Amino acid sequence: IMGQVTIYLDDEAESQMVEAAQSEHLSKSKWVARLIKSQVANEWPKSAVELAGAWKEFPDVEELRSSLGQDVERESF
């Protein structure tokens, strides 16, 4: 079952949507659905996940924290 939604766009927005959908060889409906899904996604895109560890010269967490010094001892309750 698929929901149906009616949206109202000004002429310029509609023209831009049509052009974008055509450039990706998608129907307007599929283009809008994909846009909505990308905006409500709860996980990182695969392209972002694949960047993890891409910067070899970036320091790891231990190196970043090494210059912070010691924490102050906490008071007990």
Side-chain angles (χ1 to χ4, degrees), residues 2-16:
M2 298 184 84
Q4 187 173 4
V5 176
T6 301
I7 61 172
Y8 297 93
L9 302 172
D10 60 47
D11 290 342
E12 182 180 352
E14 181 185 16
S15 176
Q16 291 171 332

Side-chain angles (χ1 to χ4, degrees), residues 3-76:
Q4 187 173 4
V5 176
T6 301
I7 61 172
Y8 297 93
L9 302 172
D10 60 47
D11 290 342
E12 182 180 352
E14 181 185 16
S15 176
Q16 291 171 332
M17 177 198 58
V18 168
E19 186 177 317
Q22 286 176 346
S23 74
E24 297 180 38
H25 307 288
L26 295 172
S27 68
K28 292 183 284 187
S29 180
K30 286 183 180 179
W31 187 86
V32 170
R34 192 178 71 180
L35 180 65
I36 291 169
K37 286 178 184 179
S38 74
Q39 293 299 307
V40 297
N42 289 326
E43 55 187 55
W44 289 92
K46 183 179 179 186
S47 59
V49 172
E50 289 173 347
L51 288 174
W55 292 277
K56 300 298 181 197
E57 71 278 0
F58 197 79
D60 62 18
V61 68
E62 287 80 21
E63 189 177 344
L64 288 171
R65 292 180 180 163
S66 67
S67 64
L68 295 178
Q70 285 289 337
D71 285 344
V72 175
E73 189 173 324
R74 295 182 181 211
E75 296 179 18
S76 60

